[in-house]
Amino acid sequence: MTTSTPRFAEHLSLMHGWLPLLVQLIAVTLLALAVGWRNRRWRLVWLPVAVVAGLILTAMAYWYVTTEGLAGDPAPRRLWAWTTVTGAALVVLIAGWRSAGWWRRSASMLAVPLCLVCAALALNLWVGYFPTVQTAWSQLTAGALPDQVDQAAVVAMQKERRIPDRGSVVPVTIGSAASGFKHRGELVYLPPAWFASDPPPALPTIMMIGGEFNTPADWLRTGNAIKTVDDFAAQHAGKAPVLVFVDSGGAFNNDTECVNGARGNAADHLTKDVVPFMEQTYGVSAESANWGIVGWSMGGTCAVDLTVMHPDLFSAFEDIAGDLSPNSGTRQQTIDRLFGGSEAKYASFDPTTVITRHGPYRGVAGWFDVNGPMPSAPAVVDVRDDMGNGAAGGKAVAHTSDQEAAADSLCALGSSRGIDCAVVEQPGKHDWPFASQAFAAALPWMAGRIGTPGVPSTPLPTPGAGLQATAR
């Protein structure tokens, strides 16, 4: 039995508005009551110790985030502030317990978890993992997904030619015989058009890959992917690509970067387990021209990497704020952590090296999304010709993030090797709301590019057209 959030709380924001502010005010009030003035030893010894302990905790957290290569954008200052306050609150609770009255002890016990919640809210503001209370509740309680049905219902609907108004999301168990990769359950979205015949039409497929810390359901709960594709299908008489939401990590915090390495053969799972399963189970097209990949953050790096390594399987990718290459810290840390210290294995999964070694590509295209300033400036598009040069009349723009530099470098190199590509800049931060926005913007292009029936093929964005674009 699943539970749901009260209706009044469904759309409460966990990133903006009154709720995060209220939690912070309560936490500050309780901590102030817990600290108090007390005696001279308390003020001169224990309070400085509490502050130092908080700073040490913050330094450790900062070191971990930096060395693990976890971030695309710098963390908000309030995350480090609340990390410090949480560490200090814990010392106040422990050191001040004996000298405190019952009410001050109560305030101390409540202040620590509330300060931790405030740090979590600051972290969420950074990554956008839980935009609303409803999203958080559904994720934490494993609530039902949008459009979710079981396989038996899908089979019955298809045999009876019951074409639903919206698509259906089916939890699936994909084997690992080819890869040996231990993974969690994955998900498949079937558009209304899939139910039109038995056997089903050989529809195109998009592989959906999330970020470094992920579950296969993230694109559905946090990335709003199902509403986006349902809306798209409704505008095209039920026609849309099939989507498969894959598990690239095997666990929430197992950063594989979609490679074969020390953390598992993730690449083999995606190419040798998932692709055949989709073709055999749901009758999707086996042609590379009908397969695309969409990835966010780490998944964006995966989208480029898998496509350029396997143009026989995939013909289009959308890289949403991915890196230049697999990234698990510094370059040497990545080689050590993912490839057991092997430079050769790292090179075999480095998109720049792969593209350079491959030579000319045919029929491969890519859309690179990078996040830009938040003010209401127009989106910026950098389109490359087949020699890797910028569009005629375009102007150079300085880049400020690793993702922007990576997109420009990969698009320029790819274009010189026959990959049709564009770099699209839209307002936003390196977070899930930006990923959701980017997927919605590129879906019409991706669906047309991989041959969705009834969906016209549209060109990549050009300066002055679509997305209110301007030349770089």
Side-chain angles (χ1 to χ4, degrees), residues 41 43 48 62 113 146 168 182 253 277 298 341 356 358 421 458 470:
R41 177 178 174 80
R43 297 193 302 272
Y62 182 84
S168 298
K182 295 181 179 180
N253 61 343
F277 172 87
M298 179 211 73
T356 302
H358 183 277
C421 64
T458 57
T470 57

Side-chain angles (χ1 to χ4, degrees), residues 208 345 408:
M208 304 289 292
K345 290 182 180 179
D408 271 352

Side-chain angles (χ1 to χ4, degrees), residues 261-288:
R263 296 174 178 176
N265 293 331
D268 280 353
H269 172 61
L270 301 180
T271 58
K272 297 179 180 180
D273 294 330
V274 173
V275 172
F277 172 87
M278 293 301 297
E279 293 168 0
Q280 296 163 13
T281 307
Y282 295 105
V284 301
S285 172
E287 299 296 324
S288 62

Side-chain angles (χ1 to χ4, degrees), residues 66-69 328-339:
T66 303
T67 57
E68 290 293 322
S328 185
T330 65
R331 184 178 185 277
Q332 190 57 51
Q333 286 171 335
T334 298
I335 293 171
D336 293 339
R337 292 167 178 172
L338 295 181
F339 302 101

Side-chain angles (χ1 to χ4, degrees), residues 304-395:
V304 178
D305 209 4
L306 291 173
T307 304
V308 299
M309 290 180 68
H310 302 282
D312 56 321
L313 297 179
F314 310 102
S315 64
F317 64 83
E318 182 188 4
D319 170 4
I320 306 173
D323 289 317
L324 182 64
S325 60
N327 177 13
S328 185
T330 65
R331 184 178 185 277
Q332 190 57 51
Q333 286 171 335
T334 298
I335 293 171
D336 293 339
R337 292 167 178 172
L338 295 181
F339 302 101
S342 171
E343 289 267 2
K345 290 182 180 179
Y346 171 82
S348 70
F349 283 94
D350 170 42
T352 299
T353 305
V354 172
I355 294 170
T356 302
R357 289 175 176 175
H358 183 277
Y361 286 82
R362 293 184 182 276
V364 176
W367 175 310
F368 293 87
D369 285 293
V370 295
N371 54 290
M374 288 300 292
S376 56
V380 181
V381 175
D382 180 11
V383 178
R384 298 282 175 169
D385 61 24
D386 58 6
M387 296 301 294
N389 300 313
K395 59 183 179 180

Side-chain angles (χ1 to χ4, degrees), residues 139-150:
Q139 187 79 302
L140 295 174
T141 61
L145 295 162
D147 297 350
Q148 182 173 337
V149 298
D150 59 28

Side-chain angles (χ1 to χ4, degrees), residues 118-135:
C118 289
L121 287 170
L123 175 63
N124 186 59
L125 181 64
W126 186 22
V127 300
Y129 196 71
F130 299 127
T132 65
V133 171
Q134 182 182 29
T135 305

